[in-house]
Structure formats: C-alpha cells, structure tokens
Amino acid sequence: MTLSTLGLGVSAASADDRTSATTADQARPLSPGLTEALRRDLGLTEGQAARRLAREDAAARLTPRAEQLAGPAYAGSWYDADREALVVAVTDAAHSAALRAAGAEPVLVRHSQAELDAAKAAVDARSRSSAAPAGVSSWRVDPRRNSVVIELAPGARQDARVAAFVAAAEQAGPVAVEEQSADRTPRTLSAGVVGGDPYYINGNTRCSIGFAVQGGFVSAGHCGGAGSSVVGWDGSAMGSFAGSSFPGNDYSFIRIGNGWWTVPVVLGWGTVSDVLVRGSWQAPVGSSVCRSGSTTHWHCGTVQGLNETVNYSQGAVYQVTRTSVCAEPGDSGGSFITGDQAQGVTSGGWGNCSSGGQTWFQPVNEILSVYGLSLVTA
C-alpha cells in the first residue's frame, strides 16, 4: 500500500522539549466530530473522549522522563485506560517511588527492556539471514507480558520450519508463542486505480497521503520505488519518490512541485472535521489512535504494540506499530494520529472495516530522521 500525507507543520520535538512540556499544551479543544469517531469505534462519550486524549497526551510526554528515572531497570511502558495512567515496568522496585512522584504507576517484572530488545533483535537477525517461514505472521516486544511474542498462522506449529524458527527464538530470550484461531496473515494495502481522493504511482497504483513535510510528503515504501512519478487525485503531476524502502522498512518520501503545496492537516472525510497536526509525540501502548485513508476514510482503535516485525509475503518489515484499527486496500500510506500528534503511515494489515482487523504503521519519527525531514505543523 502507499500513502499520501497532508502536512504537519513543525519539526519533531527534542527529548528535552518533550520532557518539559506543560499540561497547558493539552487543553486544546477536540476537532469537531472526533468525539463521534471515538464514540463509534471506542464507545466513549464526549467527556470521556476529551479526558482520555488529555491523559494519553500527558502519558506520551511523561514516557521519556519515566525511562530516564528507571535507568537500566526500565522494562517498557503502556497507557492503562482503566487507571488513566502511564504504567512503567521495572526490574528493580527501588525506582518505584521516583516513578510514582513523576505521575507513573510502576510494576515489577523480571526482564528489562534491554533484554527484551536483544531477544527480538536476535529474531530479526535470523529473519534477515534466512527469511522467516510463511507460517510466522509477526513478532514483537510486549511490555505487558514482559516477553517477545511470536504470532503464528493457524496450524503453523506443525510446520518443521516454523518449529525451528520458534526454537531458535526461544534460545535468544523470553518468548511467548500465539497461534491464531483464524487466518490473520498481514498484507500490504495498495490498490489499483479507483475513485476517491488518492494519489497514483506510475498511473496504476493508488495510495493515501500520510503527512506533509517540508518539500513534500511521507508515505509507505511499498507504494513506489525511488524515481517513480506521482499524480494527484485530479490527475495532475505532483512530483516523484525521492526515497523509498521496502521490505525491511516501509517508508518513502515524495518530493512535490507543479503547484502543489503542503498543509498541516489530516482529512476527516466528513466523519470528523479535518484534523490539524501539531507534533509527533509517540503514543504509548494502550493509547487511542485514528487512521485516515482514501478507501475506508476515518477509523479509530488503540495502539497494541511497538517495535513489531511483520512478515509480509514480500519480506519482513521491522519496527512497525501494531493497532486494532481496520484498513483495506488503497489505505496504504495513510495517516495515523492520536489527538493532534502524528504517529505514522499505514503499512499493512489483515481483515477489513466490515468485520474488523488489525493494521500496522511505520512510525513517522523514524521516517523524518532517515530522510532529514521536518513535519509541516499548525
């Protein structure tokens, strides 16, 4: 799938800027219609939606500070909607008091983030040297389970290649295996030319804009390769792919011209008013997140996992974020946003927006860093 972006207006904040942010920044009113979208997809009232977004914003800004306070004992964090707080896993209870004073809820676990990351990196390295079997859908660090979780297709445990892959992963560190009860094989979500508000690559592939950056927009890598030409929804030339990476990664940068310009907006498609983008603070696991795409328009869900590896038929893609949001072909590259903070561009998923599914996105801050870009923000 490919993505098109609508524009965010400022550079990503530095870690120091983030840790010094004040709650005054969180008092902005919700975009009109956003409450209805969260009510439809998450069952929240207007008051609950406003409160949750404010608490999630505070949790996102607290996360770097909590990691600093925990030091080597840090074992990941997530937003707990029931407790309305950032939960921080630590391997040493001595850090609990400082974390509580900062506003986080500490929990004691066995394995540190460094151990979990090392175990996942070992699995990633194996998949790079020898492609993961088709029966392996994905693997990720799950802070709530304090483990690397490997997901398998139905019946895949019986495959000798899958069994060997899992056995090798278990040698690297703490691993939990989940076999799906139904086929949830991830796939990219590009589409042939259809009506809507897309951008087109080389005249025959449609993707959705993600976020505007200075000089163009970022998108999914599987939408097109470097040098591929791009036209807009009206058929006029927009520009071309200045950079693209897929598989391994799933991101790209499209440089625009020909009279096209960038704006700090994500389309609401009539479900919500168009949403302004004001930054790119990373939302913790458990936070709400919404997606805009040219096929299924606006849908919301929650962040389910960070730093996941997804095994597409074209090859593995690393360090993507897992969500409960649905998507369909043509939504590729579209915007993922929490409140007014850009999160990433749509990569792939399984299911649809009638019966449900899951979708992964490539985090936007990584794309900005790789290409040296700045978001267009309000």
Side-chain angles (χ1 to χ4, degrees):
M1 56 170 127
T2 57
L3 64 81
S4 57
T5 61
L6 295 174
L8 309 176
V10 267
S11 304
S14 69
D16 288 342
D17 291 336
R18 293 177 180 181
T19 54
S20 63
T22 67
T23 55
D25 294 326
Q26 304 159 30
R28 296 180 293 268
L30 298 182
S31 298
L34 182 55
T35 297
E36 175 59 25
L38 292 173
R39 183 205 62 76
R40 180 196 65 191
D41 294 335
L42 295 181
L44 303 178
T45 66
E46 181 175 358
Q48 288 171 335
R51 182 181 177 90
R52 176 158 180 164
L53 288 173
R55 294 301 176 92
E56 289 173 347
D57 187 72
R61 295 167 189 264
L62 174 59
T63 299
R65 175 61 176 160
E67 183 172 359
Q68 182 182 53
L69 287 171
Y74 183 73
S77 60
W78 61 94
Y79 178 74
D80 187 311
D82 293 330
R83 288 194 260 185
E84 297 186 316
L86 181 73
V87 179
V88 180
V90 290
T91 58
D92 185 348
H95 300 277
S96 297
L99 288 166
R100 287 194 184 94
E105 294 287 342
V107 294
L108 191 62
V109 297
R110 180 177 179 183
H111 304 287
S112 69
Q113 184 73 49
E115 291 178 271
L116 298 176
D117 287 344
K120 181 180 179 291
V123 182
D124 287 345
R126 177 179 174 85
S127 73
R128 287 188 173 99
S129 62
S130 178
V136 179
S137 300
S138 66
W139 54 97
R140 66 187 185 277
V141 170
D142 188 337
R144 289 170 291 194
R145 296 179 64 170
N146 196 226
S147 179
V148 174
V149 177
I150 299 176
E151 286 204 351
L152 307 180
R157 285 178 181 270
Q158 310 308 314
D159 186 319
R161 294 170 301 170
V162 171
F165 184 91
V166 170
E170 290 173 335
Q171 294 298 312
V175 167
V177 178
E178 295 180 353
E179 185 171 334
Q180 301 154 359
S181 59
D183 185 12
R184 297 180 177 181
T185 302
R187 68 188 191 284
T188 55
L189 299 171
S190 55
V193 174
V194 296
D197 188 12
Y199 79 89
Y200 300 92
I201 304 90
N202 292 334
N204 60 5
T205 300
R206 172 169 63 88
C207 284
S208 303
I209 290 174
F211 296 100
V213 296
Q214 299 296 334
F217 60 87
V218 293
S219 180
H222 71 261
C223 290
S228 297
S229 61
V230 171
V231 300
W233 61 271
D234 60 354
S236 67
M238 294 183 78
S240 62
F241 281 75
S244 180
S245 179
F246 179 80
N249 304 295
D250 195 4
Y251 51 63
S252 60
F253 166 48
I254 293 82
R255 184 173 288 117
I256 62 171
N258 306 300
W260 289 83
W261 66 92
T262 58
V263 290
V265 170
V266 172
L267 285 176
W269 295 99
T271 300
V272 302
S273 296
D274 294 347
V275 176
L276 290 176
V277 180
R278 291 190 169 94
S280 58
W281 286 79
Q282 179 179 278
V285 169
S287 300
S288 63
V289 67
C290 297
R291 179 193 55 74
S292 180
S294 64
T295 299
T296 58
H297 299 171
W298 188 272
H299 288 273
C300 302
T302 58
V303 175
Q304 297 181 318
L306 308 176
N307 188 24
E308 182 155 1
T309 299
V310 178
N311 193 30
Y312 295 129
S313 62
Q314 302 96 324
V317 173
Y318 305 92
Q319 295 181 319
V320 291
T321 298
R322 174 194 189 98
T323 78
S324 64
V325 187
C326 67
E328 296 180 12
D331 287 326
S332 281
S335 323
F336 268 89
I337 187 167
T338 294
D340 56 13
Q341 300 297 306
Q343 298 300 314
V345 300
T346 305
S347 174
W350 63 268
N352 55 57
C353 289
S354 296
S355 58
Q358 291 175 312
T359 306
W360 287 261
F361 67 77
Q362 182 83 58
V364 69
N365 285 335
E366 179 183 358
I367 309 174
L368 299 177
S369 176
V370 167
Y371 294 120
L373 303 170
S374 296
L375 283 173
V376 176
T377 58

